């Protein structure tokens, strides 16, 4: 196998800002970077990760909302996450939400939203989406609610393919002293149209979010979702371990589940574990991809100024079109040095490996990270 080695240098700038509660509210978290390869194996590459959510109250009950999510995502789950397999995906959504009180325990809301999805690579399929939603909610008690929601969205891709989806769901929410439960269950129909040829499918859809504070230092969260959607949606942003195949547009049935635990120990150390599984069924192409795995991270203070970090991950992927399977491994270890109240030196070494039944998909990656983090405020 022909192997290539190179060194990438990156610089990052991050910002986090939350506006004080008022007529308008906003929350911004962004991290922008730039990478340069010493031997020019790849072109210089910008990196971006941004989450913005804001809203303004126009009149009582009427709120205008804006969200924007930007990620560097993989174009193909079968390839390494080098610059040739990365694209920036930006999902922007905005529109009004009008909520009316029908009585002491009933309310109805109407939402009309516009969503635009753009990719940095010109060969990727951009799309525009218009979404209308009507939702009724009844409060059975101060901690228990249920309702019904109907939505329709119409998407048009820049390939002139049109994707229409209608969904009807029952919604529910329940709060206990240490546990919260929210979710929905219903049916959805999706129709794709291209060159006067239409194809539709329907199925069960739903989502579930459960969070439990096991004790003062341990929290467990479970998230699950099943949707009929397409690759221009924000599903892969909401479930970060999920990867769309950007080569295949059209309708896709996606299912994902993620279990997260976070524990703080008395000595100041912390342990985080995420287990995940997902499945994508590209309806128009008759192919399926499945993924299951976990990520683990551990932090422990060594001294008042030095903190050790350990991390690892495992991912098993299967593909129906060629009946193959791949395994990904990831390990990393590092030390963070607190040089001053605002300045931290970060050092990490890592190893990544992919084993596959297809030799061209295999790789071994070793990397070293050295950086300075400075907090301005």
């Amino acid at each position: 196998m022909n192997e290539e080695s190179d060194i990438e240098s990156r610089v990052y700038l991050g910002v986090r800002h939350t506006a004080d509660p008022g007529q308008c509210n906003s929350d911004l978290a962004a991290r922008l970077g730039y990478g340069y390869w010493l031997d020019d194996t790849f072109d210089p590459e910008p990196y971006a990760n941004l989450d913005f959510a804001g809203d303004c109250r126009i009149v009582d009950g009427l709120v205008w909302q804006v969200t924007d999510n930007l990620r560097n995502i993989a174009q193909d789950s079968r390839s390494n996450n080098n610059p040739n397999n990365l694209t920036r995906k930006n999902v922007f959504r905005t529109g009004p939400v009008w909520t009316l009180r029908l009585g002491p325990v009933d309310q109805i809301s109407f939402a009309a939203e516009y969503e635009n999805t753009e990719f940095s690579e010109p060969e990727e399929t951009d799309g525009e989406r218009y979404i209308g939603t009507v939702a009724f909610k009844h409060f059975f008690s101060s901690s228990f609610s249920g309702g019904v929601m109907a939505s329709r969205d119409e998407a048009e891709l820049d390939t002139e393919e049109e994707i229409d989806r209608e969904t009807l769901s029952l919604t529910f929410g329940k709060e206990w002293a240490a546990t919260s439960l929210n979710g929905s269950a219903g049916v959805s129909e999706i129709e794709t149209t291209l060159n006067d040829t239409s194809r539709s499918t329907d199925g069960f859809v739903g989502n579930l979010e459960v969070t439990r504070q096991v004790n003062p230092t341990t929290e467990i969260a479970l998230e699950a979702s099943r949707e009929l959607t397409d690759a221009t949606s924000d599903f892969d942003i909401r479930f970060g371990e999920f990867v769309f195949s950007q080569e295949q547009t059209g309708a896709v049935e996606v299912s994902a589940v993620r279990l997260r635990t976070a524990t703080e120990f008395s000595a100041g150390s912390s342990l985080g574990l995420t287990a995940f599984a997902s499945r994508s069924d590209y309806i128009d192409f008759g192919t399926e991809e499945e993924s299951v795995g976990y990520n683990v991270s551990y932090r422990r203070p060594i001294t008042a100024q030095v903190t050790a970090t350990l991390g690892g991950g495992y991912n098993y992927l299967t593909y129906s079109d060629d009946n193959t399977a791949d395994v990904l491994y990831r390990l990393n270890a590092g030390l963070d040095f607190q040089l001053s109240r605002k300045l931290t030196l970060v050092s990490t070494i890592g190893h990544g490996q992919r084993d596959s039944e297809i030799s061209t998909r295999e790789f071994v990656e070793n990397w070293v990270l050295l950086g300075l983090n400075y907090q301005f405020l």
Side-chain angles (χ1 to χ4, degrees), residues 213-220 261-273 297-301 307:
Q213 193 73 39
V214 180
N215 55 49
T217 61
T218 302
E219 181 180 87
I220 297 178
T261 66
T263 302
E264 300 286 340
F265 300 100
S266 58
S269 57
S270 63
L271 175 67
L273 173 66
S297 62
Y298 178 73
R299 292 180 62 88
R300 180 178 178 84
T307 300

Side-chain angles (χ1 to χ4, degrees), residues 200-239:
S200 64
T201 188
D202 54 48
F204 167 80
V205 296
N207 67 81
L208 181 69
E209 296 181 15
V210 183
T211 302
R212 178 169 177 79
Q213 193 73 39
V214 180
N215 55 49
T217 61
T218 302
E219 181 180 87
I220 297 178
L222 173 68
E223 303 169 80
S225 184
R226 177 183 174 90
E227 297 181 16
L228 292 175
T229 185
D230 65 273
T232 65
S233 76
D234 66 345
F235 190 91
D236 54 341
I237 292 176
R238 287 182 279 124
F239 287 85

Side-chain angles (χ1 to χ4, degrees), residues 28 125 176 362:
L28 171 68
T125 302
W176 292 274
E362 293 185 334

Side-chain angles (χ1 to χ4, degrees), residues 20 31 53 59 66 115 131 141 152 161 164 180 197 260 278 280 282 302 318 329 332 336 354-355 357:
D20 294 331
R31 190 167 184 250
V59 296
V66 178
E115 183 178 279
I131 308 165
S141 69
R152 175 178 173 83
E161 183 175 13
D164 300 331
S180 65
T197 300
R260 295 182 291 109
S278 66
S280 53
Y282 295 91
I302 304 301
T318 60
Y329 305 94
N332 62 267
D336 295 350
R354 184 180 193 125
D355 296 335
E357 299 174 25

